[in-house]
Amino acid sequence: MIKWFSLGFWELVARVVLRNRIVMLSIITLITVLLALQWKNIRFTFTEANMLPADNPVNVEYNAFLDKFGEEGNLIIIGVKDTTLFTPKAFAEWAKMMESIKSHEEVDLVISIDDLRKLQKNDSLETFELVPFLDPESKTNQEALSKARRDLFTNLPFYEGLLFNTESGSVRSAVYLDKEIVNTSKRKDFVLDKLVPAINNFEKQTSIDLRVSGMPYIRTMNAQTITDEIGIFIGAALFITSLIFFLFFRTFRATLVSILIVIIGVMWSFGTLGLFNYEITVLTALVPSLMIVIGIPNCIFLTNKYHQEYKVHRNKVKALQRVTTKVGMATLMTNLTTAIGFATFAASNNKLLIEFGVVTSINIMALFFLCLLVIPIFHSFIPPPKDRHLKHLDRVYVRSFMEWILRTIKESRFSVYVVAIILLTVSIIGIYEMRISGSLLEDMPKRTEFFKDISFFEDEFDGVLPVEIMIDTKRPKGVMKLSTIKKMEELEESIMEIPELSKPLSIVSLIKYSKQAYYNGNSEYYQLPTAQEQGFILSYAKNATKNSKDNLMKSYVDSTGRYARITTYMSDKSGEEMVQIENQIRTAAARLFPEERFNITVTGKALVFQKGTGYLLDNLLTSLVFAVILTSLLVAFMFRSVKMVLVSLIPNLLPLLLTAAIMGFFDIPLKPSTILVFGIAFGLSVDDTIRFLAQYREELKRNNWKIRKSVYATFNDAGLSMFYTSIVLLFGFSVFMLSGFGGTQALGGLVAVTLFFGMMSNLVLLPALVLTLNKTLANKQELPEPMIDIIEHSDEEIDNLPKTKL
């Protein structure tokens, strides 16, 4: 198989491409048009990424909860911490805003102080009825509003933690969306086109600052930020990479063709997303920009080789042919290793990563063929480069840098190894400082207003991330037994003792409120009924909850009365303590609810995300190992040498360890976004290794298998391109640091740092290792028997061998 990609094969490719230029360009145009037709299938995701496979027990439990109670993330909260709200003008505007929100079909229920209902006993009907907390006249009277505020904070404990915070005086409204639209585009349309304008109008009329949060709102604003950033990334990546390309080569024509190639690559990437019907997520949104960042180095490598060849013999056609014949194999292998680095994400058993890995790896290989075809064809139509275009080959500062590296390799290899060992030791120390983050919101854009609103609700109401406890009584109507309700109350008291969790909400609260209402609203009776009171109070409560859309608690007991739900909220700052929090809840539940009579499920978005993070980290580490193995097999395929595999891995694993150490020393947590760094950076960094080794393999043949001479020739030929491409990749990934998302910033910054370490490692450590282990590194399988004997000698010994031996 290796002979398929021998020099003769690449000569054939060069001839076919240059002799059929119009056909090749027509094929590229046709593919571009066909993929552009798939853009109509592109759509943005409206759900959170579930990082667990469908059959994972945590997912099974969560889906069972959703089957009983529906989508949990349907609550939007609107908060304010301003006493001027309880003035007639501001209160009227508040009521107007809430009425406007309530009128939309997407809204299922609104609980707000302007239209608050309180329970009141109706003895004639033996039920409780909901009556207005405020009469119309009170809303226009300052004294009445002030009194209503005092009554709310002192006489309605049922709403504490739900609508107000007694200590700080902050107030909020609860907007429950229709559960059927939470994961659809209707949610986005409601938030952006109806809710946000209503909020802005209130703030304009009253000068009161409102805070908005809740999962539907967070998800919508988060997705909108992703959408806005796609254009920024594409523009920034295109600008900075093409600018670096121009600064290197000082030719507008070559720069323009490179821009054209990556633009076509971007079009193909969008077309691939549409072709596979993949949604645009926080990861797939990066694919178009990645095509630019990865495509430009391909253009640099091929253009630089063309200039090198043309400078030698001043024959344009010959130079274009040699671009393909001399670096075709190296470029194929480098793109293949990069594609493998991304393709290994498909082994993660995670839908989000599988789609990202599939689309990126396919488009990387498509970019390779695009560059291999377009660059020789384009340069065949234009005049050859002028002398000023070739000056970059002898640029003083670059040449001085490369000569310094070459001197180091020749004269100070021992020092290189000492430095490498020191860095390895520091890396191991730093790795032990690393921590894992289970935060659901940590990667969200912290500079946005909606993230500041999240912080407000975490401070005022103890969080916005729901944690759910589902209680299965194993019999119909088992929830309404007083013994079960008392057990639930004890569990809620245990939850209240966990500082990271908010006040729980369940059927228990309604029953306590029912007793308070039975005793004419006296807040001292906000407690569970006694055994004597149980019969008549619970019968009143049951009658009150029949066929009422405004029943807040209808989602906390299922229709059969078998399942109950307790909801609490967790601060995102507590994400790393999620395991301990879950254990505390399970311990308390096991003590109160015997396993033979009850089934207890602890679930919710916060818990599912935390479990998903751990699962994803394990899978991504497996993917990284898989990438290392595949790369090793590629090198083994090229050289048939175990030592060469080790030589190729050492310079690429060391930068990964250094990056891990930086994460440990600077307290950058290990999370889905940062673990991606290692797979991506390894796939890109190993490109330079493969490029160097593939070129070295060809130089061995040209230099009569003299290893030292071949290494130096490889460095002189490929070193400059390795430097150029690494610089472009480094700056290209740096554009992701413009993102508002912490995960994307970390991805861009850490990949850039890793690529810098990788560049230095491949330019210095790799040639040093090849020279140190120079006895048996050549590919013996391609050598005739006399050559196998020759390779065992040093270069000096080869020079002194008898001519007959040579």
Side-chain angles (χ1 to χ4, degrees):
M1 182 179 289
I2 196 169
K3 292 183 179 179
W4 294 358
F5 298 99
S6 65
L7 195 60
F9 171 80
W10 292 109
E11 287 177 344
L12 175 63
V13 170
R15 285 198 299 269
V16 170
V17 170
L18 292 174
R19 290 178 181 178
N20 300 275
R21 296 176 295 178
I22 302 301
V23 174
M24 296 296 173
L25 293 178
S26 300
I27 292 173
I28 292 171
T29 303
L30 179 62
I31 294 173
T32 304
V33 171
L34 291 176
L35 288 175
L37 293 175
Q38 301 300 318
W39 293 355
K40 64 181 182 294
N41 298 323
I42 296 175
R43 63 191 188 281
F44 291 90
T45 183
F46 296 107
T47 60
E48 296 115 344
N50 191 333
M51 292 177 283
L52 292 169
D55 58 353
N56 188 280
V58 175
N59 248 353
V60 172
E61 289 183 347
Y62 182 62
N63 289 329
F65 168 81
L66 295 181
D67 289 341
K68 301 292 185 305
F69 295 102
E71 171 61 45
E72 59 164 335
N74 66 325
L75 172 63
I76 295 177
I77 44 180
I78 304 171
V80 57
K81 189 177 181 180
D82 193 327
T83 55
T84 58
L85 176 66
F86 289 90
T87 57
K89 179 184 176 183
F91 201 83
E93 289 293 336
W94 178 272
K96 179 181 175 182
M97 177 183 67
M98 288 300 163
E99 191 60 36
S100 170
I101 293 172
K102 189 188 300 184
S103 66
H104 298 299
E105 61 180 0
E106 297 89 348
V107 176
D108 189 38
L109 174 67
V110 173
I111 304 174
S112 178
I113 52 175
D114 63 287
D115 191 29
L116 189 63
R117 305 299 180 93
K118 63 179 181 178
L119 278 181
Q120 183 172 289
K121 181 175 65 172
N122 187 325
D123 287 324
S124 61
L125 298 178
E126 295 187 344
T127 186
F128 296 114
E129 56 187 10
L130 291 169
V131 298
F133 174 65
L134 289 172
D135 56 67
E137 291 77 16
S138 300
K139 298 178 182 180
T140 59
N141 184 284
Q142 179 62 63
E143 185 177 346
L145 284 174
S146 299
K147 180 179 181 300
R149 183 177 183 275
R150 289 193 298 271
D151 289 344
L152 175 68
F153 280 61
T154 56
N155 296 326
L156 291 176
F158 173 74
Y159 290 110
E160 184 176 5
L162 177 65
L163 294 185
F164 63 86
N165 182 328
T166 305
E167 295 181 0
S168 67
S170 58
V171 176
R172 69 178 181 179
S173 291
V175 179
Y176 291 87
L177 298 186
D178 181 356
K179 293 178 180 179
E180 298 300 320
I181 66 107
V182 169
N183 292 322
T184 70
S185 60
K186 290 184 178 180
R187 182 204 75 217
K188 181 198 74 170
D189 295 338
F190 168 75
V191 170
L192 297 180
D193 300 335
K194 299 173 183 178
L195 179 67
V196 171
I199 299 292
N200 292 339
N201 183 64
F202 173 85
E203 292 180 333
K204 180 180 179 181
Q205 296 297 327
T206 64
S207 299
I208 295 176
D209 185 27
L210 296 186
R211 304 287 186 173
V212 188
S213 195
M215 292 310 295
Y217 182 79
I218 292 172
R219 288 162 60 186
T220 300
M221 303 309 291
N222 199 46
Q224 187 64 33
T225 306
I226 293 173
T227 305
D228 295 341
E229 287 191 350
I230 291 177
I232 295 174
F233 289 156
I234 292 175
L238 190 60
F239 173 76
I240 195 165
T241 54
S242 57
L243 177 63
I244 294 173
F245 185 98
F246 177 77
L247 292 176
F248 283 160
F249 296 105
R250 304 296 173 93
T251 165
F252 284 107
R253 289 174 178 175
T255 304
L256 289 175
V257 75
S258 300
I259 292 173
L260 176 63
I261 288 171
V262 294
I263 287 176
I264 294 174
V266 169
M267 295 172 68
W268 286 11
S269 67
F270 279 121
T272 309
L273 286 169
L275 181 65
F276 292 146
N277 284 310
Y278 288 166
E279 294 180 331
I280 292 182
T281 63
V282 68
L283 282 182
T284 53
L286 302 179
V287 174
S289 305
L290 284 173
M291 293 306 101
I292 297 173
V293 174
I294 295 171
I296 290 291
N298 275 342
C299 297
I300 286 177
F301 189 62
L302 294 172
T303 304
N304 188 65
K305 186 60 181 175
Y306 169 56
H307 285 183
Q308 286 178 331
E309 289 295 329
Y310 182 78
K311 183 180 179 182
V312 172
H313 46 68
R314 300 287 173 167
N315 186 320
K316 185 177 79 169
V317 175
K318 186 177 180 180
L320 290 174
Q321 286 181 330
R322 288 195 173 181
V323 167
T324 304
T325 57
K326 283 195 173 184
V327 299
M329 182 65 174
T331 310
L332 171 64
M333 299 303 287
T334 55
N335 281 270
L336 192 58
T337 53
T338 303
I340 286 173
F342 284 96
T344 52
F345 294 140
S348 65
N349 200 22
N350 174 267
K351 182 174 180 289
L352 188 72
L353 283 172
I354 289 172
E355 293 180 356
F356 176 63
V358 168
V359 171
T360 308
S361 56
I362 288 175
N363 280 280
I364 286 171
M365 294 311 299
L367 258 181
F368 160 70
F369 289 108
L370 194 61
C371 293
L372 196 68
L373 296 176
V374 173
I375 287 180
I377 291 174
F378 170 79
H379 284 286
S380 70
F381 283 116
I382 65 173
K386 298 178 181 179
D387 288 339
R388 70 172 184 272
H389 300 147
L390 304 178
K391 286 182 179 179
H392 69 92
L393 298 172
D394 300 309
R395 200 164 288 148
V396 175
Y397 62 90
V398 176
R399 183 56 59 189
S400 298
F401 176 67
M402 303 305 289
E403 288 175 356
W404 170 79
I405 293 177
L406 194 57
R407 284 197 306 273
T408 303
I409 295 168
K410 289 180 178 180
E411 302 168 6
S412 306
R413 286 202 295 275
F414 179 77
S415 300
V416 170
Y417 299 142
V418 170
V419 172
I421 292 171
I422 292 173
L423 292 176
L424 177 62
T425 305
V426 172
S427 299
I428 294 172
I429 296 171
I431 287 171
Y432 280 100
E433 300 294 323
M434 295 178 71
R435 63 181 178 88
I436 297 176
S437 170
S439 169
L440 181 62
L441 305 178
E442 185 174 8
D443 281 347
M444 288 189 176
K446 294 180 174 57
R447 295 191 294 264
T448 58
E449 285 300 318
F450 81 85
F451 190 87
K452 296 175 183 177
D453 291 350
I454 292 172
S455 300
F456 170 83
F457 286 106
E458 289 200 334
D459 293 337
E460 296 292 326
F461 295 95
D462 298 324
V464 294
L465 302 177
V467 177
E468 304 284 357
I469 301 101
M470 185 171 71
I471 301 167
D472 177 9
T473 63
K474 298 185 177 181
R475 56 190 180 279
K477 299 183 180 179
V479 172
M480 296 308 293
K481 290 188 64 176
L482 186 60
S483 60
T484 302
I485 291 171
K486 285 185 175 180
K487 290 178 184 295
M488 292 176 64
E489 181 187 35
E490 288 187 59
L491 180 57
E492 289 189 6
E493 289 172 354
S494 298
I495 291 173
M496 290 285 286
E497 293 175 1
I498 302 175
E500 294 86 359
L501 299 179
S502 69
K503 177 185 174 182
L505 186 62
S506 71
I507 188 66
V508 174
S509 302
L510 177 61
I511 294 173
K512 288 181 178 181
Y513 191 24
S514 299
K515 179 173 179 178
Q516 178 186 353
Y518 189 83
Y519 287 99
N520 302 315
N522 189 336
S523 59
E524 294 182 1
Y525 289 94
Y526 184 73
Q527 56 190 245
L528 290 180
T530 63
Q532 293 77 15
E533 298 167 327
Q534 173 187 1
F536 52 87
I537 290 181
L538 289 186
S539 65
Y540 272 56
K542 290 176 183 177
N543 293 334
T545 57
K546 288 180 180 179
N547 303 320
S548 174
K549 182 184 177 183
D550 293 331
N551 172 24
L552 171 65
M553 306 306 297
K554 66 182 180 180
S555 294
Y556 289 88
V557 179
D558 81 314
S559 58
T560 67
R562 172 177 169 174
Y563 298 92
R565 164 189 183 184
I566 299 175
T567 299
T568 181
Y569 290 89
M570 184 184 77
S571 166
D572 185 61
K573 300 170 185 175
S574 307
E576 294 181 19
E577 286 80 42
M578 188 65 226
V579 174
Q580 295 90 323
I581 293 171
E582 180 190 359
N583 290 337
Q584 287 177 272
I585 295 174
R586 291 190 184 277
T587 301
R591 175 174 52 83
L592 295 167
F593 297 94
E595 189 175 344
E596 61 273 10
R597 293 172 50 203
F598 300 91
N599 282 332
I600 304 298
T601 301
V602 182
T603 185
K605 291 189 185 299
L607 178 67
V608 172
F609 183 85
Q610 192 273 335
K611 297 287 187 182
T613 298
Y615 176 85
L616 190 59
L617 290 176
D618 292 340
N619 277 267
L620 287 173
L621 288 172
T622 302
S623 298
L624 178 59
V625 172
F626 188 45
V628 172
I629 292 172
L630 287 178
T631 302
S632 302
L633 291 175
L634 275 175
V635 176
F637 168 77
M638 290 173 60
F639 288 92
R640 305 293 201 272
S641 168
V642 175
K643 285 186 178 181
M644 186 63 87
V645 172
L646 293 175
V647 166
S648 67
L649 291 181
I650 292 172
N652 291 288
L653 293 179
L654 181 60
L656 300 186
L657 296 176
L658 286 170
T659 300
I662 289 174
M663 291 173 62
F665 289 132
F666 289 91
D667 196 33
I668 302 172
L670 200 61
K671 51 188 177 181
S673 55
T674 52
I675 193 66
L676 284 173
V677 168
F678 298 98
I680 293 173
F682 179 81
L684 293 170
S685 178
V686 81
D687 281 1
D688 282 342
T689 305
I690 298 297
R691 184 173 288 131
F692 184 93
L693 294 180
Q695 186 72 24
Y696 166 67
R697 186 169 171 273
E698 298 302 321
E699 293 295 339
L700 278 174
K701 298 176 183 178
R702 296 191 188 102
N703 291 288
N704 201 25
W705 306 97
K706 294 181 180 180
I707 293 176
R708 185 173 288 106
K709 186 175 181 181
S710 299
V711 169
Y712 298 156
T714 301
F715 185 88
N716 287 328
D717 194 46
L720 189 61
S721 293
M722 290 165 62
F723 174 75
Y724 282 173
T725 55
S726 296
I727 291 296
V728 171
L729 286 171
L730 191 155
F731 280 98
F733 271 94
S734 297
V735 303
F736 293 127
M737 296 178 69
L738 297 174
S739 173
F741 292 88
T744 308
Q745 289 176 348
L747 178 69
L750 290 173
V751 169
V753 168
T754 310
L755 289 174
F756 173 76
F757 290 143
M759 177 186 72
M760 296 304 299
S761 184
N762 279 304
L763 287 175
V764 180
L765 184 58
L766 175 61
L769 287 171
V770 173
L771 287 171
T772 300
L773 302 174
N774 66 3
K775 291 283 185 178
T776 56
L777 289 182
N779 186 346
K780 294 182 180 180
Q781 290 197 353
E782 291 194 356
L783 297 178
E785 286 300 321
M787 286 294 115
I788 295 179
D789 294 333
I790 291 173
I791 199 69
E792 301 297 335
H793 298 278
S794 69
D795 291 353
E796 291 78 4
E797 291 171 333
I798 291 174
D799 289 333
N800 295 323
L801 286 174
K803 298 295 183 182
T804 54
K805 181 88 173 182
L806 293 174

